[in-house]
Amino acid sequence: MRVPLSWLREYVDLPATETGRDVQAKLISAGLEVETVEHLGADLKGPLVVGQVLTIEELEGFKKPIRFCTVDVGQANGTGEPQEIVCGARNFSVGDKVVVVLPGATLPGGFSISARKTYGKVSHGMICSSDELGMGDDGTHGIIVLPPETEVGKDAVELLELVDEVLDIAVTANRGDCLSIRGVARETAIAYGLPLRDPALLDVPGPNAFGYPVKVSDPAGCDRFTARTVTGLSPEARSPIWLQRRLQKVGMRPISLAVDVTNYVMMELGQPLHAYDRHQVQGTIGVRRAQEGEKIVTLDGVERKLHAEDLVITDDRGPIGLAGVMGGADTEIADHDPAEEGAAATTDVIIEAAHFDQVSVARTARRHKLSSEASRRFERGVDPQAASAAAQRTVDLLVLLAGGTAEAGVTEVVAPSAPHTITLAADHPDKVAGVTYGRETVVRRLQEVGCDVYGQDELIVTVPSWRPDLTDPNDLAEEVIRLEGYENLPSTLPRPPAGRGLTGRQRLHRRVGRALAGAGYVEALSYPFVSEQVFDQLGLEADDPARRVVKLVNPLSDEEPALRTSLLPGLLAALRRNDGRGSHDLALFETGLVFQPRDAARVAANLPVDRRPSPDDIAALNAALPDQPRHVAVVLAGAREQAGWWGKGRPADWADAVEAARTLAREAGAELGIRKGQYGPWHPGRCAELTVTVDGAERVVGHAGELHPRVLKTLGLPARACAMELDLDVLERVGDTVPQAPSISTFPVATQDVALVVDAYVPASDVEAALREGAGELLESIRLFDVYENAEQLGEGRKSLAYALRFRADDRTLTVDEASAAREAAVALATDRTGAVLRG
């Protein structure tokens, strides 16, 4: 809401020394968010006067039309001689009164004016348009043409009210009263402790039987409808300069007198109005819900198909306006245009001032994507008691400015209603704020807002009609607190309870993040929304459980209506985006929740707000939610180790993805099984299946390896990209996070190497497990250091696995025989379980 300070001063006698910045500080202290104070005309200097065009000479031979004019500016130029000016605009004629800036002046933006030669003539100044003076849009996009009665030589800065300060207020959704000069003036008067001259306090005639007929069929949607008629408007009447300037300052464009007056009153009182051409309205004006499929052409020229919930204004033909949003083109006010023959200007108008249901208006505006100044106000709440005053103010201005006649008939359809009252303990604001205000302060502040207050310890408060947001005692307490000053509230830091730190789960998540960051990964956060087509792109089977998704009723994007069941879609999208922007060596990770629907769908109950939910209530609520395990995933592409003087470097491969899984398992204290696997987006020959033992049974918790070339091509990912994803919650469940001190022996180690030949399909992990079990307690560690395949030496479908076994005892130095015996026992068990043969 833009509020000119000059307009505000009409209703509040602010001290002459108060600036826009001072008023801004006061209003902010009172709870209004004044974003900026715009200083209009602050950089405007020098002579700016009214001139009259005496002659116009058309200059030939140029690419665009150029005119050489002589303009009478009176004694403003010091000589009284006509001013010679070159101008390219064509919307003025000889005899017109215009705005002239003389040499030596400076226009907004630091544009200095001086006499200069142009188009073969010397131009002594400039004839100004509204844009050049920083006035805003006046609808002409040309030179300002002033009324004929304007005095030549008059100071145009004062005439056009070019110097002013405008407060730009961000009005919250609950303060519809502040979308008007009246509402802001009330807040200003309270902030300064000054009286308010309420512009809505007018003498309004009562309703009678002579008014224009109106029928309201939906009193819930329209509880008040006032109609007034003004006849005999002068077709040549134009909005005066002061009215146009005020509309421009609040951000509206002048259109025609009748429309400008309704807009002016709306900005002044906050009551949206609409003017109908009386000769275009046929029969009784009605208010009803639209019939499904009805159509209307609104003032913006768009034909709209109506919904059954839309509230419409009608006549005998059908809809002539969307109630509270925009009028129809059939009854539009026609302006006088001398250039258009046969066009009849509107001379008789019907003024509508109504109060519509804010929810109905909001839904209609959103349904038709049609936001207007009127709908913005109705959505936030309009004072229903102001409708009659607004209609009267409109009638008075039309009679004054257009020479019209106000008909005696007054139509007012009002649904019965009672004022809203609230019972408030006198010390309730004290308890809310933690400050002792006292009853007198509470009563005084509520009365300043406009409330009627009765009672002693228990107050009966009648809320003013312009504050529909005041509905309960806490709202009234907030009014007292904000007017007394939020800055005066004591600030007390809460004391955290002792002995509460991070949970074990939270500590694990932090350790996982630190471990991956230490391994060179960068954390990436992605949105949890996916499209179901991504599962096809990842190559998941039709019956894959990951395809069962939780769909959102109101998704942010219709293209991504489901919640993710895997972290890979978002992480791979981040990989693709970074690679496309020139970052080719990438290692990203993410930890986050995935969402898995339960087998039995449940509907969450609405919990009460007047008490703390019980454990059973919370348990029932959680049972209605999908399962949300926490996963961790990594993706890699490009170089894992950069080349340099230290070596050639190497690209990221499937082993790096597997190592990331091992890193996580170490942080969780879990024993991770790794074997060859095949799943979804991973390359079938370069995919590791990650397993853990849960309650004695082996469980797959994830996969790691190189992605399938088909998936890389479909998603537009770099070649040989790798990924890993596993269930962190399961890893936490089976892990032991208690720190284990290493066992350090003072005795030397005995190293034995063994090379076993097995069938190519036998997993190395099975061979390693057999060796580990067979070696017994003397085995300290085992490491696979070579894999060899050669059909000529080993046979078709065979491979050699070479392991380094380290043996050590805590109490003695092992002999060669002991180490050899342990090695032979390990080989024997591996031979028995996997068919391994000791390589000769």
Side-chain angles (χ1 to χ4, degrees):
M1 176 68 190
R2 291 171 56 85
V3 180
L5 190 59
S6 59
W7 198 351
L8 195 63
R9 289 182 183 274
E10 281 199 8
Y11 309 128
V12 183
D13 289 327
L14 295 173
T17 57
E18 288 294 286
T19 66
R21 295 290 184 189
D22 298 328
V23 177
Q24 178 189 30
K26 286 284 190 179
L27 291 179
I28 289 177
S29 178
L32 292 184
E33 184 182 352
V34 184
E35 294 185 325
T36 59
V37 178
E38 184 179 352
H39 297 268
L40 302 181
D43 51 356
L44 179 62
K45 300 177 182 178
L48 189 71
V49 299
V50 176
Q52 183 173 21
V53 180
L54 301 178
T55 64
I56 298 177
E57 176 187 350
E58 302 288 345
L59 302 182
E60 304 293 339
F62 300 103
K63 294 182 179 179
K64 61 180 181 179
I66 299 297
R67 312 168 93 186
F68 181 65
C69 312
T70 59
V71 184
D72 178 16
V73 295
Q75 297 299 319
N77 57 3
T79 65
E81 296 294 327
Q83 203 79 2
E84 296 179 341
I85 300 175
V86 176
C87 184
R90 308 192 65 80
N91 68 313
F92 64 96
S93 307
V94 172
D96 283 346
K97 303 289 180 66
V98 295
V99 178
V100 178
V101 57
L102 301 178
T106 302
L107 293 183
F111 183 55
S112 299
I113 303 299
S114 61
R116 64 189 184 96
K117 188 173 183 179
T118 179
Y119 298 103
K121 300 287 186 178
V122 177
S123 181
H124 298 273
M126 188 170 71
I127 302 175
C128 298
S129 68
S130 60
D131 288 337
E132 291 163 340
L133 297 179
M135 296 171 56
D137 185 11
D138 62 356
T140 64
H141 301 290
I143 294 302
I144 301 171
V145 178
L146 300 172
E149 64 272 13
T150 309
E151 179 185 350
V152 173
K154 183 179 178 63
D155 182 4
V157 175
E158 179 183 350
L159 175 69
L160 299 177
E161 301 178 12
L162 296 179
V163 178
D164 202 350
E165 293 180 277
V166 179
L167 285 71
D168 194 351
I169 304 175
V171 180
T172 54
N174 65 320
R175 291 303 304 274
D177 60 304
C178 289
L179 285 174
S180 66
I181 304 297
R182 179 196 184 201
V184 177
R186 181 182 295 107
E187 292 295 318
T188 305
I190 295 173
Y192 277 91
L194 297 172
L196 169 70
R197 288 188 292 275
D198 192 343
L201 295 180
L202 300 174
D203 291 331
V204 180
N208 53 51
F210 309 107
Y212 197 90
V214 174
K215 180 181 179 182
V216 177
S217 302
D218 190 340
C222 175
D223 57 6
R224 182 180 293 267
F225 195 106
T226 300
R228 301 288 299 276
T229 304
V230 181
T231 59
L233 302 180
S234 172
E236 291 79 19
R238 293 291 175 267
S239 301
I241 293 174
W242 64 266
L243 192 149
Q244 294 187 44
R245 288 296 295 131
R246 287 191 170 179
L247 289 178
Q248 288 174 327
K249 289 177 184 179
V250 298
M252 301 192 75
R253 178 172 63 87
I255 298 175
S256 64
L257 178 58
V259 175
D260 291 350
V261 166
T262 57
N263 286 336
Y264 176 84
V265 175
M266 176 180 66
M267 302 308 296
E268 182 182 53
L269 302 181
Q271 168 66 53
L273 301 110
H274 188 69
Y276 301 93
D277 187 331
R278 181 176 181 179
H279 297 295
Q280 301 300 324
V281 178
Q282 299 180 12
T284 301
I285 292 178
V287 182
R288 61 169 172 83
R289 298 289 172 176
Q291 298 175 8
E292 189 70 38
E294 276 188 307
K295 295 182 180 180
I296 182 176
V297 179
T298 46
L299 288 174
D300 57 358
V302 178
E303 183 179 78
R304 303 182 185 277
K305 187 176 181 180
L306 300 179
H307 188 274
E309 292 185 6
D310 291 335
L311 193 66
V312 293
I313 311 298
T314 65
D315 64 3
D316 290 350
R317 295 168 297 178
I320 59 173
L322 281 173
V325 180
M326 185 174 287
D330 291 343
T331 57
E332 181 180 7
I333 299 294
D335 194 15
H336 174 68
D337 188 353
E340 188 176 348
E341 297 182 3
T346 298
T347 57
D348 301 341
V349 298
I350 301 172
I351 306 300
E352 167 210 305
H355 183 260
F356 301 111
D357 175 61
Q358 59 191 84
V359 174
S360 176
V361 172
R363 288 178 176 173
T364 297
R366 284 158 178 74
R367 188 179 297 117
H368 295 282
K369 298 180 174 62
L370 186 61
S371 179
S372 63
E373 292 289 345
S375 67
R376 285 183 62 216
R377 284 160 175 79
F378 279 122
E379 288 173 16
R380 289 161 175 78
V382 170
D383 180 6
Q385 302 295 332
S388 299
Q392 182 63 44
R393 177 74 164 139
T394 305
V395 169
D396 293 343
L397 287 173
L398 289 176
V399 171
L400 175 67
L401 302 177
T405 301
E407 288 196 352
V410 177
T411 302
E412 194 165 306
V413 180
V414 182
S417 62
H420 181 55
T421 60
I422 302 172
T423 301
L424 173 74
D427 61 348
H428 183 66
D430 302 4
K431 295 178 180 178
V432 172
V435 177
T436 303
Y437 293 122
R439 178 187 177 280
E440 291 73 15
T441 299
V442 172
V443 172
R444 174 172 57 84
R445 288 303 189 184
L446 292 179
Q447 288 175 339
E448 288 176 346
V449 172
C451 299
D452 292 330
V453 185
Y454 303 95
Q456 292 299 319
D457 294 338
E458 188 173 81
L459 305 178
I460 306 300
V461 181
T462 302
V463 175
S465 58
W466 56 83
R467 291 299 302 274
D469 59 305
L470 303 181
T471 60
D472 57 56
N474 286 331
D475 293 331
L476 300 179
E478 183 182 3
E479 291 300 296
V480 175
I481 295 168
R482 75 175 181 87
L483 294 179
E484 284 295 306
Y486 290 122
E487 67 276 10
N488 296 324
L489 292 177
S491 58
T492 304
L493 293 176
R495 294 183 178 180
R500 292 186 181 181
L502 298 176
T503 64
R505 188 169 189 253
Q506 291 169 332
R507 287 194 295 270
L508 174 60
H509 297 164
R510 293 196 178 188
R511 288 202 311 274
V512 163
R514 285 195 295 266
L516 290 174
Y521 291 85
V522 177
E523 185 171 14
L525 301 177
S526 57
Y527 289 113
F529 313 115
V530 296
S531 66
E532 293 184 85
Q533 288 74 23
V534 75
F535 302 125
D536 296 328
Q537 297 170 342
L538 292 177
L540 300 186
E541 298 292 339
D543 58 348
D544 195 299
R547 286 182 174 270
R548 295 184 62 240
V549 295
V550 177
K551 290 189 177 180
L552 299 174
V553 176
N554 56 341
L556 294 179
S557 170
D558 293 336
E559 297 178 356
E560 296 180 331
L563 292 175
R564 66 189 178 192
T565 56
S566 168
L567 299 181
L568 287 184
L571 209 50
L572 292 176
L575 181 71
R576 179 179 64 248
R577 186 164 51 251
N578 282 273
D579 181 71
R581 294 177 180 175
S583 297
H584 303 301
D585 303 324
L586 296 163
L588 308 177
F589 84 92
E590 180 177 9
T591 62
L593 302 180
V594 299
F595 304 87
Q596 301 168 349
R598 298 180 186 271
D599 295 333
R602 300 184 183 180
V603 178
N606 291 323
L607 299 183
V609 296
D610 59 341
R611 58 179 174 82
R612 178 183 175 86
S614 67
D616 292 339
D617 291 335
I618 297 176
L621 188 64
N622 289 332
L625 298 176
D627 289 328
Q628 301 175 56
R630 182 171 291 271
H631 281 202
V632 58
V634 304
V635 293
L636 305 100
R640 183 60 175 147
E641 295 178 3
Q642 296 290 336
W645 59 265
W646 53 84
K648 296 181 179 180
R650 68 173 182 85
D653 61 16
W654 62 269
D656 295 303
V658 174
E659 182 58 29
R662 288 196 177 100
T663 300
L664 300 178
R666 285 193 295 270
E667 291 296 326
E671 185 175 344
L672 188 67
I674 300 173
R675 65 189 181 198
K676 182 179 178 180
Q678 182 174 347
Y679 177 70
W682 279 276
H683 193 297
R686 298 168 188 158
C687 174
E689 191 173 70
L690 311 176
T691 65
V692 295
T693 302
V694 182
D695 298 331
E698 189 177 66
R699 177 172 172 180
V700 177
V701 293
H703 295 83
E706 185 178 315
L707 294 175
H708 198 290
R710 184 172 57 250
V711 172
L712 299 179
K713 182 178 179 180
T714 303
L715 295 178
L717 299 172
R720 307 301 293 268
C722 303
M724 181 277 298
E725 181 174 11
L726 58 77
D727 190 328
L728 192 57
D729 283 354
V730 177
L731 211 61
E732 177 194 7
R733 178 181 170 187
V734 301
D736 182 5
T737 58
V738 178
Q740 298 292 330
S743 176
I744 301 175
S745 175
T746 59
F747 296 94
V749 66
T751 302
Q752 297 275 347
D753 293 344
V754 61
L756 301 176
V757 178
V758 297
D759 291 333
Y761 62 84
V762 176
S765 59
D766 290 352
V767 177
E768 180 180 325
L771 289 174
R772 187 183 299 276
E773 183 179 344
E777 61 182 11
L778 293 180
L779 182 67
E780 182 180 80
S781 67
I782 182 172
R783 178 175 64 88
L784 174 67
F785 67 86
D786 183 55
V787 178
Y788 178 70
E789 295 182 3
N790 189 314
E792 294 181 0
Q793 296 183 14
L794 303 178
E796 192 69 32
R798 303 282 282 176
K799 65 182 177 181
S800 171
L801 304 176
Y803 293 90
L805 286 70
R806 292 167 57 91
F807 298 97
R808 194 195 309 258
D810 294 335
D811 57 350
R812 67 189 186 281
T813 299
L814 293 178
T815 65
V816 174
D817 293 339
E818 288 178 311
S820 298
R823 172 182 177 274
E824 291 172 1
V827 171
L829 187 59
T831 300
D832 181 56
R833 287 189 178 177
T834 65
V837 176
L838 190 64
R839 184 178 173 187

